């Protein structure tokens, strides 16, 4: 073997060892940092983007994408009126938007409920045959399902319903009065049971992690805000009051809509009622 060959091999070996050493030090630092971080800090840290993470993500397996639409084929289906409300200007709705926690005994109308659901997740168009919705979603992957706890709606029995996006219809999941249970699950916040309806925004996480990995978890929570703001502004335009709620007992809300809290979980609540 020539001297140059020996030198080349030595240089390559040193370079490889240097890379390994750097990775070891980096991983050790990561582990030390993980121990020092709180749970919320770790979530932010572990879903942060770095070039190393972006490149490494190319070689990591991602979950398979779950079905895009959830449905209850054996349930009673309730058709909703066509959403066709034309209200105040966007600028006025933004100016008047407030969190309202006190509602009258007047029922929410079916046309109003229809418009609220359309604003939350209604189909507004298509691209390459793929339905697009009212609220923006990373990669147009739409991880959210909308459940409605009906407390006081004209011509609609009390119960928990699922919003069928493609049909713009409601599917009855559970019949009965759940105002007490949603209030209890919401840490006794009475507006959840006093409202005409309380929306439960539930996310199927792998719908978005299938493309964006763990970073996709951030996008889920961003999207919950997009949907909730749409509900807020639509409620103002309809002359209704509403408030979003992030403080609730997760296990109790998940049990109400029969989801496991892992592959699918409640992320946000939003109460809407007549003034």
């Amino acid at each position: 073997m020539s001297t140059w060959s020996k030198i080349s091999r030595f240089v390559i070996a040193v370079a490889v060892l240097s890379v390994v050493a750097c990775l070891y030090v980096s991983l050790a630092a990561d582990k030390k940092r993980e121990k020092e971080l709180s749970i919320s800090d770790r979530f932010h840290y572990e879903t942060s983007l770095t070039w190393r993470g972006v490149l490494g993500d190319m070689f990591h397996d991602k979950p398979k994408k779950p079905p895009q639409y959830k449905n209850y084929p054996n349930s009673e289906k309730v058709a909703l009126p066509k959403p066709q409300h034309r209200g105040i200007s966007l600028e006025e709705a933004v100016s008047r938007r407030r969190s309202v926690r006190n509602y009258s005994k007047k029922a929410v109308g079916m046309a109003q409920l229809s418009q609220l659901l359309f604003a939350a997740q209604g189909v507004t168009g298509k691209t390459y045959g793929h339905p697009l919705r009212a609220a923006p979603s990373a990669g147009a992957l739409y991880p959210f399902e909308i459940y409605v706890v009906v407390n006081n709606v004209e011509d609609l029995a009390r119960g928990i319903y699922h919003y069928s996006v493609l049909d713009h219809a409601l599917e009855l999941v559970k019949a009965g009065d759940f105002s007490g249970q949603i209030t209890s699950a919401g840490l006794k916040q009475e507006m959840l049971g006093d409202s005409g309806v309380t929306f439960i925004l539930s996310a199927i996480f792998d719908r978005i992690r299938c493309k964006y990995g763990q970073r996709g978890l951030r996008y889920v929570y961003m999207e919950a805000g997009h949907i909730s703001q749409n509900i807020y502004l639509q409620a103002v335009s309809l002359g209704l009051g509403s408030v979003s709620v992030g403080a609730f007992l997760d296990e109790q809300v998940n049990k109400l809509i029969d989801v496991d809290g892992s592959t699918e979980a409640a992320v946000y609540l939003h109460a809407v009622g007549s003034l």
Side-chain angles (χ1 to χ4, degrees), residues 4 9 28 30 64 115 159 161 184 189 213 220:
W4 282 113
R9 289 191 174 188
D30 287 348
K64 292 183 179 179
Q115 196 69 45
Y161 295 80
S184 176
Q189 297 181 79
V220 166

Side-chain angles (χ1 to χ4, degrees), residues 149-168:
V149 181
V150 172
N151 301 317
N152 187 13
V153 175
E154 289 178 350
D155 302 319
L156 186 61
R158 288 186 171 190
I160 298 176
Y161 295 80
H162 171 257
Y163 178 48
S164 178
V165 173
L166 291 180
D167 300 329
H168 189 62

Side-chain angles (χ1 to χ4, degrees):
M1 181 182 298
S2 68
T3 301
W4 282 113
S5 296
K6 291 180 180 179
I7 293 174
S8 298
R9 289 191 174 188
F10 177 76
V11 170
I12 292 171
V14 170
V16 170
L17 288 173
S18 298
V19 171
V20 171
C22 287
L23 287 173
Y24 177 80
V25 171
S26 177
L27 290 172
D30 287 348
K31 289 182 178 179
K32 182 180 179 181
R33 184 174 181 180
E34 287 176 6
K35 291 180 180 179
E36 296 171 350
L37 295 176
S38 66
I39 293 174
S40 57
D41 288 338
R42 283 188 62 186
F43 170 77
H44 189 79
Y45 172 66
E46 292 182 11
T47 58
S48 296
L49 285 183
T50 63
W51 279 114
R52 189 185 73 183
V54 170
L55 294 172
D57 200 44
M58 296 170 62
F59 302 98
H60 289 162
D61 289 335
K62 294 186 178 69
K64 292 183 179 179
K65 185 180 179 181
Q68 185 62 65
Y69 301 99
K70 187 175 182 180
N71 56 68
Y72 294 80
N74 298 320
S75 72
E76 176 189 340
K77 184 166 285 191
V78 180
L80 290 165
K82 182 179 179 180
Q84 52 190 2
H85 175 75
R86 296 293 180 269
I88 61 179
S89 70
L90 172 63
E91 291 77 14
E92 186 176 354
V94 170
S95 177
R96 289 168 51 186
R97 188 219 60 79
R98 296 291 185 273
S99 292
V100 179
R101 296 173 173 81
N102 296 305
Y103 312 116
S104 71
K105 299 295 183 182
K106 182 181 177 182
V108 169
M110 278 289 282
Q112 291 175 319
L113 176 57
S114 171
Q115 196 69 45
L116 289 163
L117 286 165
F118 177 77
Q121 284 285 272
V123 174
T124 57
K126 291 184 178 181
T127 181
Y128 302 107
H130 180 63
L132 302 176
R133 305 189 195 178
S137 179
L141 293 170
Y142 305 112
F144 276 94
E145 297 291 331
I146 306 292
Y147 290 86
V148 187
V149 181
V150 172
N151 301 317
N152 187 13
V153 175
E154 289 178 350
D155 302 319
L156 186 61
R158 288 186 171 190
I160 298 176
Y161 295 80
H162 171 257
Y163 178 48
S164 178
V165 173
L166 291 180
D167 300 329
H168 189 62
L170 289 174
E171 298 170 313
L172 180 61
V173 178
K174 295 179 179 178
D177 182 356
F178 293 91
S179 58
Q181 291 186 47
I182 192 62
T183 300
S184 176
L187 304 178
K188 305 297 183 181
Q189 297 181 79
E190 293 182 358
M191 65 278 191
L192 295 171
D194 292 342
S195 62
V197 294
T198 290
F199 297 97
I200 301 175
L201 278 57
S202 175
I204 299 177
F205 299 104
D206 282 353
R207 280 190 191 157
I208 206 158
R209 285 195 298 208
C210 68
K211 180 175 182 180
Y212 296 110
Q214 293 301 90
R215 179 73 174 189
L217 289 174
R218 287 203 198 186
Y219 303 155
V220 166
Y221 294 101
M222 293 176 192
E223 187 170 334
H226 302 328
I227 296 170
S228 184
Q229 181 71 338
N230 277 12
I231 295 173
Y232 261 123
L233 297 177
Q234 185 66 82
V236 171
S237 182
L238 291 166
L240 303 171
S242 76
V243 62
S244 57
V245 176
F248 56 87
L249 300 174
D250 295 69
E251 187 174 353
Q252 287 191 26
V253 176
N254 290 332
K255 187 175 180 180
L256 266 181
I257 58 175
D258 294 325
V259 299
D260 61 14
S262 178
T263 59
E264 181 180 355
V267 170
Y268 217 7
L269 307 180
H270 201 123
V272 181
S274 296
L275 298 175

